[in-house]
């Protein structure tokens, strides 16, 4: 089984295979709903899979884990990454 590491300090999820890193990056955003409430948003901004590892479904695994985590956190989910948009 492939392990996906959430590197929250770097705002990314990382899947390592054959000593190469596949990456899903995100940005945390907030908008004020009113003066007392703030809605937390997340924007999945980029996915990257090294050429040698493409076509194995690794980006999809990253996105599934990232989206599941964001939903658990209660974030409003957005995607500026075209690949992630396919899943939301």
């Amino acid at each position: 089984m492939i392990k996906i590491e959430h590197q929250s300090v770097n705002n990314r999820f990382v899947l390592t295979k054959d000593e190469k890193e596949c990456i899903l990056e995100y940005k945390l955003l907030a908008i004020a709903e009113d003066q007392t409430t703030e809605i937390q948003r997340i924007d999945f901004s980029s996915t990257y899979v090294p050429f040698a590892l493409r076509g194995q479904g690794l980006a999809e695994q990253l996105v599934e884990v990232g989206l599941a985590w964001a939903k658990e956190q209660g974030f409003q989910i957005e995607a500026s990454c075209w690949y992630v948009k396919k899943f939301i």
Side-chain angles (χ1 to χ4, degrees):
M1 181 169 189
I2 294 176
K3 182 181 178 225
I4 296 176
E5 177 186 3
H6 182 201
Q7 297 177 351
S8 59
V9 173
N10 297 320
N11 289 351
R12 66 187 200 159
F13 290 87
V14 178
L15 182 157
T16 303
K17 182 175 181 185
D18 300 336
E19 299 180 11
K20 296 175 177 63
E21 288 187 340
C22 305
I23 299 168
L24 170 64
E25 295 181 326
Y26 63 87
K27 296 175 186 168
L28 295 176
L29 312 165
I31 54 172
E33 191 170 79
D34 58 40
Q35 293 184 356
T36 59
T37 307
E38 190 172 76
I39 298 173
Q40 295 295 319
R41 297 181 315 164
I42 188 168
D43 174 29
F44 288 97
S45 55
S46 175
T47 53
Y48 173 74
V49 175
F51 186 77
L53 298 177
R54 293 181 185 174
Q56 300 178 35
L58 302 176
E60 182 174 352
Q61 290 178 47
L62 279 168
V63 171
E64 288 174 353
V65 168
L67 289 175
W69 172 81
K71 288 175 185 173
E72 287 174 8
Q73 302 304 309
F75 288 119
Q76 179 179 332
I77 299 170
E78 301 175 12
S80 55
C81 172
W82 67 269
Y83 186 78
V84 179
K85 280 183 185 179
K86 298 188 323 181
F87 296 89
I88 60 173

Coordinates of all heavy atoms in Angstrom, one line a residue:
M1 N 0.8 -1.2 0.0 CA 0.0 0.0 0.0 C 0.9 1.3 0.0 O 1.9 1.3 0.7 CB -0.9 0.0 1.2 CG -1.8 1.2 1.3 SD -3.1 0.9 2.6 CE -4.1 2.3 2.2
I2 N 0.5 2.2 -0.8 CA 1.2 3.5 -0.9 C 0.8 4.4 0.2 O -0.4 4.6 0.5 CB 1.0 4.1 -2.2 CG1 1.6 3.2 -3.3 CG2 1.6 5.5 -2.3 CD1 1.4 3.7 -4.7
K3 N 1.8 5.0 0.9 CA 1.5 5.9 2.0 C 1.5 7.4 1.5 O 2.4 7.8 0.7 CB 2.5 5.8 3.1 CG 2.3 6.7 4.3 CD 3.4 6.5 5.3 CE 3.1 7.5 6.4 NZ 4.2 8.2 6.9
I4 N 0.5 8.1 1.9 CA 0.4 9.5 1.6 C 0.6 10.3 2.8 O -0.1 10.1 3.8 CB -0.9 9.9 0.9 CG1 -1.0 9.1 -0.4 CG2 -1.0 11.4 0.7 CD1 -2.3 9.3 -1.2
E5 N 1.6 11.2 2.8 CA 1.9 12.0 4.0 C 1.3 13.4 3.8 O 1.5 14.1 2.8 CB 3.5 12.1 4.1 CG 3.9 13.0 5.2 CD 5.5 13.2 5.2 OE1 6.1 12.7 4.3 OE2 5.9 13.8 6.1
H6 N 0.7 13.9 4.9 CA 0.2 15.3 4.9 C 1.2 16.1 5.5 O 1.5 16.0 6.7 CB -1.2 15.4 5.6 CG -1.7 16.7 5.6 ND1 -2.6 17.1 6.6 CD2 -1.5 17.8 4.8 CE1 -3.0 18.4 6.3 NE2 -2.3 18.8 5.3
Q7 N 1.8 17.0 4.8 CA 2.8 18.0 5.3 C 2.1 19.3 5.5 O 2.2 20.2 4.6 CB 4.0 18.1 4.3 CG 4.7 16.8 4.1 CD 5.9 16.9 3.1 OE1 6.0 17.9 2.4 NE2 6.7 15.8 3.0
S8 N 1.4 19.4 6.6 CA 0.6 20.6 6.8 C 1.4 21.9 6.9 O 0.9 23.0 6.5 CB -0.2 20.5 8.1 OG 0.6 20.2 9.2
V9 N 2.7 21.8 7.3 CA 3.5 23.0 7.4 C 3.8 23.6 6.0 O 3.9 24.8 5.8 CB 4.9 22.7 8.1 CG1 5.8 23.9 8.0 CG2 4.6 22.3 9.5
N10 N 3.8 22.7 5.0 CA 4.1 23.1 3.6 C 2.8 23.1 2.8 O 2.9 23.3 1.6 CB 5.1 22.1 3.0 CG 6.4 22.1 3.6 OD1 6.9 23.2 4.0 ND2 7.0 21.0 3.8
N11 N 1.7 22.9 3.4 CA 0.4 22.9 2.7 C 0.4 22.0 1.5 O 0.1 22.4 0.4 CB 0.0 24.3 2.2 CG -0.4 25.2 3.4 OD1 -0.5 24.8 4.5 ND2 -0.5 26.5 3.1
R12 N 0.7 20.7 1.8 CA 0.7 19.7 0.7 C 0.6 18.3 1.2 O 0.8 18.0 2.3 CB 2.0 19.9 -0.2 CG 3.2 19.5 0.5 CD 4.5 19.9 -0.3 NE 5.6 19.1 0.2 CZ 6.7 18.9 -0.6 NH1 6.8 19.4 -1.8 NH2 7.7 18.2 -0.1
F13 N 0.2 17.5 0.3 CA 0.1 16.0 0.5 C 1.2 15.4 -0.4 O 1.3 15.9 -1.6 CB -1.2 15.4 0.1 CG -2.3 15.8 1.1 CD1 -3.0 17.0 0.9 CD2 -2.6 15.0 2.2 CE1 -4.0 17.4 1.8 CE2 -3.6 15.4 3.1 CZ -4.3 16.6 2.9
V14 N 2.0 14.5 0.1 CA 3.1 13.9 -0.7 C 2.9 12.4 -0.7 O 2.8 11.7 0.3 CB 4.4 14.3 -0.1 CG1 5.6 13.7 -0.9 CG2 4.6 15.8 -0.1
L15 N 3.1 11.8 -1.9 CA 3.1 10.4 -2.1 C 4.5 10.1 -2.7 O 4.8 10.6 -3.7 CB 2.0 10.0 -3.1 CG 1.8 8.5 -3.4 CD1 0.4 8.3 -3.9 CD2 2.8 8.0 -4.5
T16 N 5.2 9.2 -2.0 CA 6.6 8.9 -2.5 C 6.6 7.5 -3.1 O 6.1 6.5 -2.4 CB 7.6 9.0 -1.4 OG1 7.6 10.3 -0.9 CG2 9.0 8.7 -2.0
K17 N 7.1 7.3 -4.3 CA 7.2 6.0 -5.0 C 8.5 6.0 -5.8 O 8.7 7.0 -6.5 CB 6.0 5.7 -5.9 CG 6.0 4.4 -6.5 CD 4.8 4.1 -7.3 CE 4.9 2.7 -7.9 NZ 3.8 2.3 -8.7
D18 N 9.2 4.9 -5.7 CA 10.5 4.8 -6.4 C 11.4 6.0 -6.2 O 12.0 6.5 -7.1 CB 10.2 4.6 -7.9 CG 9.4 3.4 -8.2 OD1 9.4 2.4 -7.3 OD2 8.8 3.3 -9.2
E19 N 11.4 6.5 -4.9 CA 12.2 7.7 -4.5 C 11.8 9.0 -5.2 O 12.6 9.9 -5.3 CB 13.7 7.4 -4.6 CG 14.1 6.2 -3.8 CD 15.6 5.9 -3.9 OE1 16.3 6.7 -4.5 OE2 16.0 4.8 -3.4
K20 N 10.6 9.0 -5.8 CA 10.1 10.2 -6.5 C 8.9 10.7 -5.7 O 8.1 9.9 -5.3 CB 9.8 9.9 -7.9 CG 11.0 9.6 -8.8 CD 10.6 9.2 -10.2 CE 11.8 8.8 -11.1 NZ 12.6 7.7 -10.6
E21 N 8.7 12.0 -5.7 CA 7.6 12.6 -5.0 C 6.5 13.0 -5.9 O 6.7 13.8 -6.9 CB 8.0 13.8 -4.2 CG 8.8 13.5 -3.0 CD 9.1 14.7 -2.1 OE1 9.0 15.9 -2.6 OE2 9.4 14.5 -0.9
C22 N 5.2 12.6 -5.6 CA 4.0 13.1 -6.3 C 3.4 14.1 -5.3 O 3.3 13.8 -4.1 CB 3.1 12.0 -6.6 SG 3.8 10.7 -7.5
I23 N 2.9 15.2 -5.7 CA 2.5 16.3 -4.8 C 1.1 16.8 -5.1 O 0.8 17.1 -6.3 CB 3.5 17.4 -4.8 CG1 4.9 16.9 -4.4 CG2 3.1 18.6 -3.9 CD1 6.0 17.9 -4.6
L24 N 0.3 17.1 -4.1 CA -0.9 17.8 -4.2 C -0.8 19.0 -3.2 O -0.6 18.9 -2.0 CB -2.1 17.0 -3.7 CG -3.4 17.7 -3.6 CD1 -3.9 18.3 -4.9 CD2 -4.5 16.8 -3.0
E25 N -0.8 20.2 -3.8 CA -0.6 21.5 -3.0 C -1.9 22.2 -2.8 O -2.8 22.1 -3.7 CB 0.4 22.4 -3.7 CG 1.8 21.9 -3.8 CD 2.7 22.8 -4.4 OE1 2.3 23.6 -5.4 OE2 3.9 22.8 -4.1
Y26 N -2.1 22.9 -1.7 CA -3.3 23.6 -1.4 C -2.9 24.9 -0.7 O -1.8 25.1 -0.2 CB -4.2 22.8 -0.6 CG -3.7 22.4 0.8 CD1 -3.9 23.3 1.9 CD2 -3.1 21.2 1.0 CE1 -3.5 22.9 3.2 CE2 -2.7 20.8 2.3 CZ -2.8 21.7 3.4 OH -2.4 21.3 4.6
K27 N -3.9 25.8 -0.7 CA -3.8 27.1 0.0 C -5.0 27.2 0.9 O -6.2 26.9 0.5 CB -3.8 28.3 -1.0 CG -2.6 28.3 -1.9 CD -2.8 29.4 -2.9 CE -1.6 29.3 -3.9 NZ -1.8 30.1 -5.1
L28 N -4.8 27.7 2.1 CA -5.9 27.9 3.0 C -6.4 29.3 2.9 O -5.5 30.3 2.9 CB -5.5 27.6 4.5 CG -5.2 26.1 4.8 CD1 -4.7 26.0 6.2 CD2 -6.4 25.2 4.5
L29 N -7.7 29.6 2.8 CA -8.2 30.9 2.6 C -9.3 31.1 3.6 O -9.9 30.1 4.2 CB -8.8 31.0 1.2 CG -7.9 30.6 0.1 CD1 -8.7 30.4 -1.2 CD2 -6.8 31.5 -0.1
A30 N -9.7 32.3 3.9 CA -10.8 32.6 4.8 C -11.6 33.8 4.2 O -11.0 34.7 3.7 CB -10.3 32.9 6.2
I31 N -12.9 33.7 4.3 CA -13.7 34.9 4.0 C -14.6 35.2 5.2 O -15.1 34.3 5.9 CB -14.6 34.6 2.7 CG1 -15.4 33.4 2.9 CG2 -13.7 34.5 1.5 CD1 -16.4 33.2 1.7
A32 N -14.8 36.5 5.4 CA -15.7 36.9 6.5 C -17.1 36.8 6.0 O -17.5 37.4 5.0 CB -15.3 38.3 6.9
E33 N -17.9 36.0 6.7 CA -19.3 35.9 6.4 C -20.0 37.1 7.1 O -20.9 37.7 6.5 CB -19.9 34.6 7.0 CG -21.3 34.3 6.5 CD -21.7 32.9 6.9 OE1 -22.0 32.7 8.1 OE2 -21.6 32.0 6.1
D34 N -19.6 37.5 8.2 CA -20.1 38.7 8.9 C -19.0 39.0 9.9 O -17.9 38.5 9.9 CB -21.5 38.6 9.6 CG -21.5 37.4 10.6 OD1 -20.6 37.3 11.4 OD2 -22.5 36.7 10.6
Q35 N -19.2 39.9 10.8 CA -18.2 40.4 11.7 C -17.8 39.3 12.8 O -16.7 39.4 13.4 CB -18.5 41.7 12.4 CG -18.6 42.8 11.4 CD -18.9 44.1 12.1 OE1 -19.1 44.2 13.3 NE2 -18.9 45.2 11.3
T36 N -18.6 38.3 13.0 CA -18.4 37.3 14.0 C -18.1 35.9 13.5 O -17.6 35.1 14.2 CB -19.5 37.2 15.0 OG1 -20.7 36.8 14.3 CG2 -19.8 38.5 15.7
T37 N -18.4 35.7 12.2 CA -18.2 34.4 11.6 C -17.2 34.4 10.4 O -17.3 35.3 9.6 CB -19.6 33.9 11.1 OG1 -20.5 34.0 12.1 CG2 -19.5 32.4 10.6
E38 N -16.4 33.4 10.4 CA -15.5 33.3 9.3 C -15.6 31.9 8.6 O -15.6 30.9 9.4 CB -14.1 33.5 9.8 CG -13.0 33.6 8.7 CD -11.7 34.1 9.3 OE1 -11.0 33.2 9.9 OE2 -11.3 35.2 9.1
I39 N -15.7 31.8 7.4 CA -15.8 30.5 6.7 C -14.4 30.2 6.2 O -13.7 31.0 5.5 CB -16.7 30.6 5.4 CG1 -18.2 31.0 5.9 CG2 -16.7 29.3 4.7 CD1 -19.1 31.2 4.7
Q40 N -14.0 29.0 6.6 CA -12.6 28.5 6.1 C -12.8 27.8 4.8 O -13.6 27.0 4.6 CB -12.1 27.5 7.2 CG -11.8 28.1 8.5 CD -10.7 29.2 8.4 OE1 -9.7 29.0 7.8 NE2 -10.9 30.3 9.1
R41 N -11.9 28.3 3.9 CA -11.9 27.7 2.5 C -10.5 27.1 2.2 O -9.5 27.5 2.8 CB -12.2 28.8 1.5 CG -13.5 29.4 1.6 CD -13.7 30.5 0.5 NE -12.5 31.3 0.4 CZ -12.2 32.1 -0.7 NH1 -13.0 32.1 -1.7 NH2 -11.1 32.8 -0.7
I42 N -10.5 26.1 1.3 CA -9.3 25.5 0.9 C -9.3 25.5 -0.7 O -10.3 25.2 -1.3 CB -9.1 24.1 1.4 CG1 -7.7 23.6 1.1 CG2 -10.2 23.2 1.0 CD1 -7.3 22.3 1.9
D43 N -8.2 25.9 -1.2 CA -8.0 25.9 -2.7 C -6.9 24.9 -3.0 O -5.8 25.1 -2.7 CB -7.7 27.2 -3.2 CG -7.4 27.3 -4.7 OD1 -7.9 26.4 -5.4 OD2 -6.6 28.1 -5.1
F44 N -7.3 23.8 -3.7 CA -6.3 22.8 -4.2 C -5.7 23.4 -5.5 O -6.4 23.5 -6.5 CB -7.0 21.5 -4.4 CG -7.3 20.8 -3.1 CD1 -8.5 20.8 -2.6 CD2 -6.3 20.1 -2.4 CE1 -8.8 20.2 -1.3 CE2 -6.5 19.5 -1.2 CZ -7.8 19.6 -0.7
S45 N -4.5 23.8 -5.4 CA -3.9 24.7 -6.4 C -3.0 23.9 -7.5 O -2.8 24.4 -8.6 CB -3.1 25.8 -5.8 OG -2.1 25.2 -4.9
S46 N -2.5 22.7 -7.1 CA -1.6 22.1 -8.0 C -1.4 20.6 -7.7 O -1.4 20.2 -6.6 CB -0.2 22.8 -7.9 OG 0.7 22.1 -8.7
T47 N -1.3 19.8 -8.8 CA -0.9 18.4 -8.6 C 0.3 18.2 -9.5 O 0.4 18.8 -10.6 CB -2.0 17.4 -9.0 OG1 -2.5 17.7 -10.4 CG2 -3.2 17.4 -8.1
Y48 N 1.2 17.4 -9.0 CA 2.4 17.0 -9.8 C 2.7 15.6 -9.7 O 2.8 15.1 -8.5 CB 3.6 17.9 -9.4 CG 4.8 17.4 -10.1 CD1 5.0 17.7 -11.5 CD2 5.8 16.7 -9.5 CE1 6.2 17.3 -12.1 CE2 6.9 16.3 -10.1 CZ 7.1 16.6 -11.5 OH 8.2 16.1 -12.1
V49 N 2.9 14.9 -10.8 CA 3.4 13.5 -10.8 C 4.6 13.4 -11.7 O 4.4 13.8 -12.9 CB 2.3 12.5 -11.2 CG1 2.9 11.1 -11.3 CG2 1.1 12.6 -10.2
P50 N 5.7 13.0 -11.3 CA 6.9 12.9 -12.2 C 6.5 12.0 -13.4 O 5.7 11.1 -13.4 CB 8.0 12.2 -11.4 CG 7.6 12.5 -10.0 CD 6.1 12.5 -10.0
F51 N 7.1 12.3 -14.6 CA 6.8 11.7 -15.8 C 6.8 10.2 -15.7 O 5.9 9.5 -16.2 CB 7.7 12.2 -16.9 CG 7.3 11.7 -18.3 CD1 6.2 12.2 -19.0 CD2 8.0 10.6 -18.9 CE1 5.9 11.7 -20.2 CE2 7.7 10.1 -20.1 CZ 6.6 10.7 -20.8
A52 N 7.9 9.7 -15.1 CA 8.1 8.2 -15.0 C 6.9 7.5 -14.2 O 6.8 6.3 -14.4 CB 9.4 7.9 -14.4
L53 N 6.2 8.2 -13.4 CA 5.1 7.6 -12.6 C 3.7 7.9 -13.1 O 2.7 7.4 -12.5 CB 5.3 8.1 -11.2 CG 6.6 7.8 -10.4 CD1 6.6 8.4 -9.1 CD2 6.8 6.3 -10.4
R54 N 3.6 8.6 -14.2 CA 2.3 9.0 -14.7 C 1.5 7.8 -15.2 O 2.1 6.8 -15.6 CB 2.4 10.1 -15.8 CG 2.9 11.3 -15.1 CD 3.0 12.5 -16.1 NE 3.6 13.6 -15.4 CZ 3.9 14.7 -15.9 NH1 3.8 14.9 -17.2 NH2 4.5 15.7 -15.2
G55 N 0.2 7.8 -15.2 CA -0.6 6.8 -15.7 C -0.9 5.6 -14.7 O -1.4 4.6 -15.1
Q56 N -0.5 5.8 -13.5 CA -0.7 4.8 -12.5 C -1.8 5.1 -11.4 O -1.9 4.4 -10.5 CB 0.7 4.6 -11.7 CG 1.8 4.1 -12.6 CD 3.1 3.9 -11.9 OE1 3.1 3.5 -10.7 NE2 4.2 4.3 -12.5
G57 N -2.5 6.3 -11.6 CA -3.5 6.6 -10.7 C -3.0 7.3 -9.4 O -3.8 7.4 -8.5
L58 N -1.8 7.7 -9.4 CA -1.2 8.3 -8.2 C -1.8 9.7 -7.9 O -2.1 10.0 -6.7 CB 0.3 8.4 -8.3 CG 1.0 7.0 -8.5 CD1 2.5 7.2 -8.7 CD2 0.7 6.0 -7.4
A59 N -2.0 10.5 -8.9 CA -2.6 11.8 -8.7 C -4.0 11.7 -8.1 O -4.4 12.4 -7.2 CB -2.6 12.6 -10.0
E60 N -4.8 10.7 -8.6 CA -6.1 10.4 -8.1 C -6.1 10.0 -6.7 O -6.9 10.5 -5.9 CB -6.8 9.3 -9.0 CG -8.2 9.1 -8.6 CD -8.9 8.1 -9.5 OE1 -8.4 7.7 -10.5 OE2 -10.0 7.7 -9.1
Q61 N -5.2 9.2 -6.3 CA -5.0 8.8 -4.9 C -4.8 10.1 -4.0 O -5.4 10.2 -2.9 CB -3.9 7.8 -4.7 CG -4.3 6.5 -5.3 CD -3.1 5.5 -5.1 OE1 -2.6 5.3 -4.0 NE2 -2.8 4.8 -6.2
L62 N -3.9 10.9 -4.5 CA -3.6 12.1 -3.7 C -4.8 13.0 -3.5 O -5.1 13.5 -2.5 CB -2.5 13.0 -4.4 CG -1.1 12.6 -4.2 CD1 -0.2 13.3 -5.2 CD2 -0.6 12.9 -2.8
V63 N -5.5 13.2 -4.6 CA -6.7 14.0 -4.6 C -7.8 13.4 -3.7 O -8.4 14.2 -2.9 CB -7.3 14.2 -6.0 CG1 -8.7 14.9 -6.0 CG2 -6.3 15.1 -6.9
E64 N -8.0 12.1 -3.7 CA -9.0 11.5 -2.9 C -8.7 11.7 -1.4 O -9.5 12.0 -0.6 CB -9.1 10.0 -3.2 CG -9.8 9.7 -4.5 CD -9.8 8.3 -4.9 OE1 -9.1 7.5 -4.2 OE2 -10.4 7.9 -5.9
V65 N -7.4 11.6 -1.0 CA -7.0 11.8 0.4 C -7.1 13.2 0.7 O -7.6 13.6 1.8 CB -5.5 11.2 0.6 CG1 -5.0 11.7 1.9 CG2 -5.5 9.7 0.5
G66 N -6.7 14.1 -0.1 CA -6.8 15.6 0.2 C -8.2 16.0 0.3 O -8.5 16.8 1.3
L67 N -9.1 15.6 -0.6 CA -10.5 16.0 -0.5 C -11.1 15.4 0.8 O -11.9 16.1 1.5 CB -11.2 15.6 -1.7 CG -10.9 16.4 -3.0 CD1 -11.7 15.8 -4.2 CD2 -11.2 17.8 -2.9
A68 N -10.8 14.2 1.1 CA -11.4 13.6 2.3 C -11.0 14.4 3.6 O -11.8 14.6 4.5 CB -11.0 12.1 2.4
W69 N -9.7 14.7 3.6 CA -9.2 15.5 4.7 C -9.9 16.9 4.8 O -10.3 17.3 5.9 CB -7.7 15.7 4.6 CG -7.1 16.6 5.7 CD1 -6.8 16.3 7.0 CD2 -6.8 18.0 5.5 NE1 -6.4 17.5 7.6 CE2 -6.4 18.5 6.7 CE3 -6.9 18.9 4.4 CZ2 -6.0 19.8 6.9 CZ3 -6.5 20.2 4.6 CH2 -6.1 20.7 5.8
A70 N -10.0 17.5 3.7 CA -10.6 18.9 3.7 C -12.1 18.8 4.1 O -12.6 19.6 4.9 CB -10.6 19.5 2.3
K71 N -12.8 17.7 3.7 CA -14.2 17.6 4.2 C -14.3 17.3 5.7 O -15.1 17.8 6.4 CB -14.9 16.4 3.4 CG -15.1 16.8 2.0 CD -15.7 15.6 1.2 CE -15.8 16.0 -0.3 NZ -16.1 14.8 -1.1
E72 N -13.3 16.5 6.2 CA -13.3 16.2 7.6 C -13.1 17.5 8.4 O -13.6 17.7 9.5 CB -12.2 15.3 8.0 CG -12.4 13.8 7.6 CD -11.2 12.9 7.8 OE1 -10.2 13.4 8.4 OE2 -11.3 11.8 7.3
Q73 N -12.3 18.4 7.9 CA -12.0 19.7 8.5 C -13.1 20.7 8.4 O -13.1 21.7 9.0 CB -10.7 20.3 8.0 CG -9.5 19.4 8.1 CD -9.2 19.0 9.5 OE1 -9.2 19.8 10.4 NE2 -9.1 17.7 9.7
G74 N -14.1 20.4 7.5 CA -15.2 21.3 7.3 C -14.9 22.5 6.4 O -15.6 23.5 6.4
F75 N -13.9 22.4 5.6 CA -13.6 23.4 4.6 C -14.6 23.5 3.5 O -15.1 22.5 3.0 CB -12.2 23.2 4.0 CG -11.0 23.4 5.0 CD1 -10.2 22.4 5.3 CD2 -10.8 24.7 5.6 CE1 -9.1 22.6 6.1 CE2 -9.7 24.8 6.4 CZ -8.9 23.8 6.7
Q76 N -14.7 24.7 3.0 CA -15.4 25.0 1.7 C -14.3 24.7 0.7 O -13.3 25.3 0.7 CB -15.9 26.4 1.7 CG -16.6 26.7 0.4 CD -17.1 28.2 0.3 OE1 -17.4 28.8 1.4 NE2 -17.2 28.7 -0.8
I77 N -14.6 23.8 -0.2 CA -13.5 23.3 -1.1 C -13.6 24.0 -2.5 O -14.7 24.1 -3.1 CB -13.6 21.8 -1.3 CG1 -13.4 21.1 0.0 CG2 -12.6 21.3 -2.4 CD1 -13.7 19.6 0.0
E78 N -12.5 24.4 -3.0 CA -12.3 25.0 -4.3 C -11.1 24.4 -4.9 O -10.3 23.8 -4.3 CB -12.1 26.5 -4.2 CG -13.1 27.3 -3.5 CD -12.8 28.8 -3.3 OE1 -11.8 29.2 -3.9 OE2 -13.5 29.4 -2.5
A79 N -11.0 24.5 -6.3 CA -9.9 24.0 -7.0 C -9.5 24.9 -8.1 O -10.2 25.1 -9.1 CB -10.1 22.6 -7.5
S80 N -8.3 25.5 -8.0 CA -7.8 26.2 -9.2 C -7.0 25.2 -10.1 O -6.6 25.6 -11.2 CB -6.9 27.4 -8.8 OG -5.9 27.0 -7.9
C81 N -6.7 24.0 -9.6 CA -6.0 23.0 -10.4 C -7.1 22.3 -11.2 O -8.1 21.8 -10.7 CB -5.4 22.0 -9.4 SG -4.7 20.5 -10.2
W82 N -6.8 22.2 -12.5 CA -7.8 21.6 -13.4 C -8.0 20.1 -13.1 O -9.1 19.6 -13.3 CB -7.3 21.7 -14.9 CG -6.0 20.9 -15.2 CD1 -4.8 21.3 -15.1 CD2 -6.0 19.5 -15.6 NE1 -3.9 20.3 -15.4 CE2 -4.6 19.2 -15.7 CE3 -6.9 18.6 -15.9 CZ2 -4.2 17.9 -16.1 CZ3 -6.5 17.3 -16.2 CH2 -5.2 17.0 -16.4
Y83 N -7.0 19.4 -12.6 CA -7.1 18.0 -12.3 C -8.1 17.8 -11.1 O -8.9 16.9 -11.2 CB -5.8 17.3 -12.1 CG -5.9 15.8 -11.9 CD1 -6.1 15.0 -13.0 CD2 -5.9 15.3 -10.7 CE1 -6.2 13.6 -12.9 CE2 -6.0 13.9 -10.5 CZ -6.2 13.1 -11.6 OH -6.3 11.7 -11.5
V84 N -7.9 18.6 -10.1 CA -8.7 18.4 -8.9 C -10.2 18.8 -9.2 O -11.1 18.2 -8.7 CB -8.2 19.3 -7.7 CG1 -9.0 19.2 -6.5 CG2 -6.7 18.9 -7.4
K85 N -10.4 19.7 -10.1 CA -11.8 20.2 -10.5 C -12.6 19.0 -11.0 O -13.8 19.0 -10.8 CB -11.7 21.2 -11.6 CG -11.4 22.6 -11.1 CD -11.5 23.6 -12.2 CE -11.0 25.0 -11.7 NZ -11.1 26.0 -12.8
K86 N -12.0 18.0 -11.5 CA -12.7 16.8 -12.0 C -13.4 16.0 -10.9 O -14.3 15.3 -11.2 CB -11.8 15.9 -12.8 CG -11.2 16.5 -14.1 CD -10.4 15.6 -15.0 CE -9.6 14.5 -14.3 NZ -8.8 13.7 -15.3
F87 N -12.9 16.2 -9.7 CA -13.4 15.4 -8.6 C -14.3 16.2 -7.7 O -14.9 15.6 -6.7 CB -12.2 14.9 -7.7 CG -11.3 14.0 -8.5 CD1 -10.2 14.5 -9.2 CD2 -11.5 12.6 -8.4 CE1 -9.4 13.6 -9.9 CE2 -10.7 11.8 -9.1 CZ -9.6 12.3 -9.9
I88 N -14.5 17.4 -7.9 CA -15.5 18.2 -7.0 C -16.7 18.7 -7.8 O -16.8 18.6 -9.0 CB -14.8 19.4 -6.3 CG1 -14.2 20.4 -7.3 CG2 -13.7 18.8 -5.4 CD1 -13.7 21.6 -6.6

